[in-house]
Amino acid sequence: MNAPSSPPPNDPAPDGRPPDLLRDLSGPEDLKALADESLPALAEQIRAHLIDKVSAVGGHLGPNLGVVELTIALHRVFSSPRDTLLFDTGHQAYVHKILTGRQHRFDSLRQPGGLSGYPSRAESAHDVIENSHASTALSYADGVAKARALGGAGDRAVVAVIGDGALTGGLALEALNNLGSAPHRPVVVVLNDNTRSYAATAGSIPAHLAALRDGTAGGNLFEQLGFAYLGPVDGHDIGALQSALRRARATAGPVVVHAVTQKGRGYPPARADQAERMHAVGVLDPLTGLARTAAGRTWTDVFADHVTELGARHRDLVAITAAMPGPTGLSRFAARFPDRFFDVGIAEQHAVASAAGLATCGAKALVAVYSVFLNRAYDQVLSDVALHRLPVTFVLDRAGVTGPDGPSHHGMWDVPLLASVPGMRVAVPRDAARLEELLGEAVDDREHPTALRFPKAAAGPDLVALARTGPVDILFRSTVHEVLIVAVGPLAAECLEAGRYLADTGIGATVADPRWVLPVPRELLALAARHRLVVTVEDGIRNGGVGAAVARSIADTGLHVPVTTMGLPTDFLAHGARADILAAAGLTAKGIVHTVLCARADRPHPRP
Ligand SMILES: Cc1ncc(C[n+]2csc(CCOP(=O)(O)OP(=O)(O)O)c2C)c(N)n1
Ligand SMILES: CC(=O)[C@@H](O)[C@H](O)COP(=O)(O)O
Ligand SMILES: [Mg+2]
């Protein structure tokens, strides 16, 4: 018999080096074939792989370093995909991907056409939840368990991994309420308790978890809700984890396994990162953990500086975050005004309703949240803030195309949602100077709910206006009024380049930035009336966006000026580089010129 091409899984290589346990690991069955004694070496190799690959392309390093042993144990005790493994938020599923045969694809992580940073059904039958929004996994588990029971497949396990942060989201508590009410329906909830979201997880739930960890809890929330409780378990002890998970698998009804882990485990630079334990990183030097490229002054930086200044000027300004003080730029405000800062946990609905409560008492409440996460709190914006005409300000970071985080992270739905809210005023700054100006105007507005949006990008150079009419800035104009280009926010730079090009070719162009895009300023309509064609350009979906509002307002005023709207398709856009995705949607100077020329010639222009 020929010598095996590589040593059996558990034997050292001929030269005595530990075997490369990752190379040939094609899926959970190979993992189950490994001897327990090999598992620490496997964990070490997975950590090295994570550090090597994620430092090269960026991604969620800290969360995944914290779930290496947990994910190994999960795939050894349960049999995915026959058993269903659900990951809440999904940013901590890299180890799951490594153990399900995708370890060789990590060079393409979050790259165009490459491995998604979240579970992906197109990638693997082992993946279920693609949505990167927190606190949904327990609800999926509830649904899957019900379907299993109805379909007679009750013997297949349903396992949901949820972080301590995601557990502070209302949806998770709604699911616990349902799961715990079905003593006959087995669901395994694996609580990955690393005590952190980005920063330390806020609220009373983490305090209860701490009491459960140190044995000082007077009662057990999970048991009170109808769950068996197994824990606390050392989330880095594979043997203890396997034993607890086997007990959970054998439990007839709902059960919580409370695993205690460390975010950033095994990588000193991540452990030293006191702020966020390298929750989400860019390209790093793997040895030092230092960023390889300087990000430049981002929109978030501009907001962070100015909101802190406004906090000093307005003693009634209160800032609220949903577990993201750092990423939304509120850390400085929090440090300077701790009494006027609130981290509510991953609870956007509560953040907005609480802001409404603050505003009813005269506070100027400001909610800073990623654009796409405001989707979750739409009803609170509509029925708690706007219905009562409360002057809450929403600052929407990561608005428009974000890029590497993929379809459930692009902040492309905020304008249509906010356009449907009576009394809501929406501003889209084109540069840092306008962000400061508009943020000041929003904080000064005590009559209306207001919102500002800006992208995940470096804030470009200030674009000085030639003139201002009402809220509308004229950035460029030819002597002839033919085409009005309505520039929304940071795309003003592309619009300016397009306007100048058109003028150079003899087509009279005006480039205007409304600054306050909703309601549509009447000064913009007056400007439109003096042109023969209006083209609107925005980093958001066209359906219901700024362009749609401009077109409707023009029609409502009886003007007969054709409007062409440019923006994003109503679609889920795959992950990639922000610039590439915008270009694919035609949102470049070249794309704008092309659209104008086609519209002038009344030629259909292919839309993305
Ligand atoms: C609804 C929603 N709000 C905010 C976020 C941003 N976010 C991503 S991960 C994270 C923290 C998650 O903490 P936890 O659930 O404890 O997972 P860990 O990273 O600690 O493993 C947050 C707030 C999100 N994904 N979804
Ligand atoms: C998983 C999640 O929602 C966040 O961690 C998000 O990925 C961070 O996005 P930024 O990197 O744009 O801050
Ligand atoms: Mg956590």
Side-chain angles (χ1 to χ4, degrees), residues 238-599:
I238 299 175
L241 285 165
Q242 289 185 126
S243 166
L245 291 172
R246 287 192 189 102
R247 286 176 60 199
R249 190 183 57 189
T251 302
V255 55
V256 169
V257 177
H258 182 183
V260 181
T261 65
Q262 287 183 331
K263 186 175 263 192
R265 169 94 170 194
Y267 185 45
R271 298 297 296 149
D273 174 15
Q274 293 308 308
E276 299 178 353
R277 296 288 194 283
M278 290 196 171
H279 176 90
V281 298
V283 176
L284 300 175
D285 175 334
L287 291 178
T288 63
L290 296 176
R292 281 218 193 272
T293 50
R297 192 159 189 246
T298 65
W299 288 90
T300 311
D301 297 332
V302 176
F303 167 66
D305 292 343
H306 202 61
V307 72
T308 306
E309 263 182 58
L310 292 172
R313 266 186 254 158
H314 299 269
R315 304 192 60 74
D316 63 350
L317 182 60
V318 176
I320 300 169
T321 179
M324 301 175 79
T328 59
L330 283 182
S331 295
R332 283 193 51 202
F333 183 100
R336 181 94 176 269
F337 312 108
D339 297 343
R340 289 190 271 144
F341 168 77
F342 298 100
D343 178 351
V344 298
I346 311 181
E348 286 81 4
Q349 289 181 286
H350 171 73
V352 177
S354 178
L358 278 155
T360 58
C361 299
K364 177 59 182 180
L366 180 145
V367 178
V369 66
Y370 282 9
S371 160
V372 77
F373 300 139
L374 189 73
N375 295 358
R376 179 163 282 188
Y378 171 71
D379 185 46
Q380 280 61 53
V381 174
L382 181 70
S383 307
D384 293 303
V385 172
L387 177 65
H388 304 114
R389 289 183 292 283
L390 296 169
V392 174
T393 290
F394 298 95
V395 177
L396 308 180
D397 199 334
R398 273 50 170 191
V401 170
T402 50
D405 270 309
S408 58
H409 253 80
H410 297 304
M412 47 200 270
W413 288 278
D414 52 349
V415 171
L417 289 176
L418 296 175
S420 67
V421 177
M424 173 65 71
R425 300 180 63 219
V426 178
V428 191
R430 63 175 182 270
D431 53 29
R434 261 36 71 180
L435 173 50
E436 293 173 357
E437 189 182 76
L438 289 163
L439 183 59
E441 291 173 26
V443 170
D444 286 340
D445 186 334
R446 301 305 167 106
E447 305 301 320
H448 307 86
T450 51
L452 280 77
R453 72 188 303 263
F454 46 81
K456 174 179 186 177
D462 284 351
L463 302 173
V464 180
L466 301 175
R468 177 169 289 180
T469 163
V472 181
D473 277 353
I474 306 299
L475 304 182
F476 176 82
R477 59 186 162 201
S478 311
T479 49
V480 175
H481 289 165
E482 184 174 350
V483 181
L484 171 61
I485 300 175
V486 178
V488 177
L491 288 178
E494 299 296 331
C495 294
L496 257 182
E497 187 183 338
R500 289 180 176 131
Y501 178 87
L502 290 166
D504 290 348
T505 60
I507 297 172
T510 304
V511 180
D513 167 13
R515 294 187 321 118
W516 288 98
V517 293
L518 295 176
V520 176
R522 55 184 164 74
E523 295 83 357
L524 188 68
L525 301 179
L527 205 52
R530 299 204 296 273
H531 289 77
R532 296 170 53 196
L533 170 66
V534 175
V535 176
T536 62
V537 186
E538 62 194 294
D539 179 6
I541 61 173
R542 292 173 54 234
N543 282 344
V546 174
V550 169
R552 193 211 61 246
S553 300
I554 285 175
D556 290 351
T557 48
L559 289 174
H560 297 291
V561 178
V563 179
T564 293
T565 62
M566 295 183 71
L568 300 173
T570 303
D571 200 351
F572 295 112
L573 304 180
H575 63 267
R578 170 177 159 82
D580 296 345
I581 298 169
L582 289 173
L587 298 172
T588 60
K590 186 178 171 199
I592 296 163
V593 168
H594 171 75
T595 299
V596 168
L597 297 179
C598 291

Side-chain angles (χ1 to χ4, degrees), residues 206-222:
H208 181 55
L209 298 183
L212 289 174
R213 290 195 302 271
D214 64 21
T216 59
N220 183 310
L221 170 70
F222 302 107

Side-chain angles (χ1 to χ4, degrees), residues 60 62-64 66-67 88-92 118 131-136 162-168 191-199 201 261 263 279 322-324 327 345-348 369-370 372-374 376 408-409:
H60 289 93
N64 283 283
V67 295
D88 195 287
T89 318
H91 62 305
Q92 79 295 55
Y118 301 95
N131 177 16
S132 60
H133 298 196
S135 317
T136 67
I162 185 168
D164 56 296
L167 191 63
T168 63
L191 173 56
N192 171 31
D193 179 7
N194 56 24
T195 76
R196 306 179 71 87
S197 292
Y198 278 78
T201 299
T261 65
K263 186 175 263 192
H279 176 90
M324 301 175 79
I346 311 181
E348 286 81 4
V369 66
Y370 282 9
V372 77
F373 300 139
L374 189 73
R376 179 163 282 188
S408 58
H409 253 80

Side-chain angles (χ1 to χ4, degrees), residues 146-166:
K146 286 168 178 168
R148 287 274 163 81
L150 288 170
D155 60 330
R156 295 161 61 179
V158 184
V159 185
V161 179
I162 185 168
D164 56 296

